Amino acid sequence: MSPRPTRRQVVVGAAAAVAATVLGSAARAAAAPVVGSADLCGERYAGYRDTDRDRPYAHYMAQRTAPAPTAVVDACSGPPISPDSIPGFDSITTDLAPVGYSDVETGYGQRADGVTFVAVRTVMPRVTAAMWDWWFGWHSAEAARYKLWHPDAHLYADLAEDRTAQPVPNRAKYIGNTSFVDEYVGPKLQQLGIGFRDPVAHGFVVPADQTIVFGRVGSSIAPVDLGWLAHQVRPVDGGAEMRSRFHLNSRGLHMPDVKQAACAVRRGASVDPTDLTLGLDLARDLLMHCGQEMNHLAGFLPELYAEFGS
């Protein structure tokens, strides 16, 4: 009697089967004159182009990303944290409570159940939670905006629905929306779709002077969910702190966005739908990536928000 497949094997098998259908549809859409056309898709490219320099926010464009804080560098150069020290995803609402700190604020590791974990704490002088709510509703509308965050690694961005000009609160511009991005995390090119969820509906407590950006991380090509992210921003003396959490290898399936999948294929697919294991190397790279981008943007976010925010 052959052994029953594990949950991971079931998800991988289902993802591969569905992805084959989606990728076939995406390839056909990419060849069509309208859906997935080059004019509608945009391009993936490193750094800034001359046309980017004409943007009204061009004076915030840096050639390189600022270094990560010392605590992040030290954590990346050290060993992973003990699997027994890593909280489960089911405790994320208490891990990111409005007050207090957790045993692990900056580090990476992998639980015995295979879930890969990353935590990053970033201190941000002069920054507020409202600035980050605005940023998450604003930055993915243009690749050049997304590159402000991490000019070394960010290559492309688009939205399922561009709400940036809608007369709605900043949180409503990204909650319930999906951001599609191409970026390097370490040496690996990732093509991701991040679906932002309502943190209160998930059980987070979010005081008025704080925010929690909460999302489901998946592939922008294959209909595969890879994990969860959450960024809590709360006030501290002189500014704010961001407490970031990633729980990866928490898999599932989602309905594909065929147009976005077609565009991702046109840009050059980087995803192997059967390769769903996100291990310690990826966790270490993500720790550094998050530490760099959050620290980099925080250095000028107050000025950017004062000039373009609402």
Side-chain angles (χ1 to χ4, degrees):
M1 181 177 180
S2 57
R4 296 180 65 183
T6 65
R7 182 178 183 275
R8 175 179 296 186
Q9 290 170 329
V10 171
V11 172
V12 170
V18 178
T21 302
V22 172
L23 289 172
S25 299
R28 291 191 294 273
V34 179
V35 177
S37 69
D39 290 342
L40 294 177
C41 286
E43 296 181 74
R44 177 174 68 212
Y45 59 97
Y48 296 106
R49 293 178 169 176
D50 289 343
T51 53
D52 294 332
R53 301 291 179 183
D54 295 331
R55 306 289 188 186
Y57 49 85
H59 48 292
Y60 296 105
M61 295 176 181
Q63 290 301 115
R64 301 301 304 271
T65 308
T70 301
V72 171
V73 174
D74 290 346
C76 285
S77 61
I81 57 180
S82 166
D84 296 337
S85 301
I86 299 173
F89 175 72
D90 57 356
S91 66
I92 193 169
T93 57
T94 53
D95 184 17
L96 297 181
V99 298
Y101 293 95
S102 300
D103 292 338
V104 179
E105 288 292 334
T106 299
Y108 71 98
Q110 191 166 40
R111 288 167 50 95
D113 61 6
V115 172
T116 300
F117 176 77
V118 177
V120 187
R121 178 177 177 266
T122 309
V123 178
M124 302 176 171
R126 306 180 300 122
V127 170
T128 66
M131 295 177 188
W132 279 99
D133 277 327
W134 167 78
W135 170 256
F136 274 95
W138 182 82
H139 77 269
S140 288
E142 297 174 352
R145 295 181 186 181
Y146 187 55
K147 291 169 184 282
L148 296 176
W149 203 357
H150 197 315
D152 291 328
H154 289 181
L155 307 179
Y156 173 87
D158 195 13
L159 289 164
E161 180 185 0
D162 187 350
R163 304 173 185 171
T164 53
Q166 293 184 11
V168 297
N170 286 321
R171 288 181 182 175
K173 293 179 181 180
Y174 68 88
I175 292 176
N177 207 352
T178 301
S179 176
F180 297 94
V181 300
D182 291 7
E183 63 180 340
Y184 280 101
V185 178
K188 174 66 176 176
L189 176 63
Q190 305 282 350
Q191 291 181 286
L192 303 173
I194 304 170
F196 294 103
R197 309 285 183 89
D198 182 351
V200 175
H202 187 77
F204 289 96
V205 176
V206 187
D209 60 350
Q210 300 185 21
T211 197
I212 291 182
V213 178
F214 178 57
R216 188 68 158 134
V217 182
S219 167
S220 61
I221 298 179
V224 183
D225 293 320
L226 303 173
W228 298 90
L229 63 77
H231 304 292
Q232 179 193 57
V233 184
R234 62 187 188 185
V236 296
D237 289 345
E241 63 181 359
M242 176 181 282
R243 303 169 66 223
S244 299
R245 299 291 186 268
F246 300 87
H247 292 258
L248 307 176
N249 287 335
S250 178
R251 303 177 187 83
L253 300 173
H254 62 255
M255 290 296 295
D257 184 317
V258 175
K259 185 264 183 182
Q260 290 291 343
C263 288
V265 170
R266 181 181 290 276
R267 293 193 301 276
S270 69
V271 175
D272 176 357
T274 66
D275 181 14
L276 300 180
T277 301
L278 305 174
L280 287 174
D281 287 345
L282 184 280
R284 186 186 300 108
D285 291 337
L286 180 57
L287 171 60
M288 177 61 72
H289 182 100
C290 182
Q292 289 173 331
E293 68 182 357
M294 300 308 183
N295 185 58
H296 179 83
L297 182 60
F300 60 88
L301 183 56
E303 288 77 20
L304 184 72
Y305 178 77
E307 191 169 353
F308 299 102
S310 57

